[in-house]
Amino acid sequence: FSMQLGILGVVPINDGTHDLKPKPGGNLPFDFHGSGGIDLIVAKAGMPVSSLLNGFDLEICKASFDGNKFHIPDPHLTFAGKTKMESNRRAVVGSYVTHHREPENRYSMSAIELSKLVSTTIRAVRRDVPNAPFYRLLDVAAALPDRYNPRARPWDMGGSMYDAVVQAKWAPPIQFHNWCSKLIDRLRKYQQRGIEVVDAPTIADNFRTYQFSIMAHEMM
């Protein structure tokens, strides 16, 4: 992934549901008169499809059709409505729900305060799961100088949250938190659909975590 605004915890303005249509005279091989929808995955040019499929958190999501044949991972589980979760993600999520404590009023906290808060959780996760391959941006951020100036005005590029170096320093912990929150939401979504995740981490029914946005908190 490249360091884009969405990666940095900033909600992009074009994020959402889009109406996909074929070119004039064309056709898409889906029944749009039925219920439900399709997930469109957009990759950079040259990215092999196998790399995209291997990046899914749940094995059942790796089922695919290449135009000639279907590829079904763990068919004995998939056709039974069951799936496994990728082991590193499972371990990280299990540790995250153990250590994370949602702030009482996240809206009153600055972006820096939120970043420090989730960094405490992340340090505990890294102690539990030290070898997971998801910490590179966190390590890069830790090595950057801290240019944040709490007295900087929003229009001052140097030292404010609009400073790219400040974002690169403080955003990765929030990005990691948002990623964990998304994994938890996806896990629950598939479980609510009746899919049994056979090795799912234990998550209490009343556990809640919300995604944070750096710029939204900074502009409050």
Side-chain angles (χ1 to χ4, degrees):
F1 294 104
S2 59
M3 186 71 76
Q4 303 296 329
L5 290 180
I7 295 291
L8 294 174
V10 182
V11 179
I13 59 174
N14 62 342
D15 188 26
T17 301
H18 299 269
D19 184 18
L20 301 177
K21 297 179 179 180
K23 293 181 179 179
N27 188 28
L28 290 176
F30 299 99
D31 178 14
F32 288 101
H33 299 291
S35 60
I38 61 173
D39 291 328
L40 177 66
I41 302 171
V42 180
K44 292 182 178 179
M47 173 69 73
V49 174
S50 59
S51 296
L52 294 176
L53 293 174
N54 289 334
F56 279 112
D57 50 341
L58 300 176
E59 287 294 312
I60 201 171
C61 296
K62 299 178 183 180
S64 63
F65 177 64
D66 63 9
N68 294 310
K69 58 183 177 180
F70 288 95
H71 303 269
I72 309 295
D74 287 333
H76 60 292
L77 292 178
T78 299
F79 289 120
K82 302 178 181 179
T83 187
K84 294 179 181 178
M85 189 173 189
E86 191 275 321
S87 58
N88 285 304
R89 288 170 173 82
R90 182 184 71 246
V92 166
V93 167
S95 177
Y96 207 86
V97 298
T98 298
H99 298 291
H100 178 66
R101 297 294 180 268
E102 194 71 12
E104 292 185 4
N105 186 359
R106 63 187 186 277
Y107 298 110
S108 67
M109 301 177 68
S110 70
I112 300 297
E113 290 172 330
L114 287 171
S115 183
K116 290 179 178 178
L117 173 68
V118 297
S119 291
T120 301
T121 303
I122 292 169
R123 284 192 293 270
V125 171
R126 296 189 69 164
R127 287 194 297 269
D128 291 346
V129 195
N131 298 318
F134 309 126
Y135 307 134
R136 184 181 63 84
L137 285 181
L138 295 169
D139 292 336
V140 170
L144 292 175
D146 185 6
R147 300 201 326 193
Y148 178 67
N149 178 5
R151 293 182 294 277
R153 298 165 296 183
W155 53 86
D156 293 334
M157 293 300 296
S160 73
M161 287 305 298
Y162 291 91
D163 184 332
V165 175
V166 174
Q167 288 191 11
K169 175 71 175 180
W170 292 100
I174 291 182
Q175 173 199 356
F176 191 91
H177 165 83
N178 289 350
W179 176 68
C180 288
S181 297
K182 187 66 174 179
L183 288 176
I184 294 168
D185 290 343
R186 278 178 49 79
L187 175 60
R188 284 174 160 169
K189 178 180 73 173
Y190 277 84
Q191 289 173 327
Q192 290 168 359
R193 289 176 175 177
I195 301 297
E196 178 185 347
V197 183
V198 296
D199 53 355
T202 301
I203 305 176
D205 291 340
N206 62 350
F207 178 85
R208 293 291 181 272
T209 184
Y210 301 92
Q211 297 188 39
F212 302 144
S213 174
I214 282 185
M215 303 311 293
H217 286 275
E218 196 61 22
M219 292 186 292
M220 294 179 66

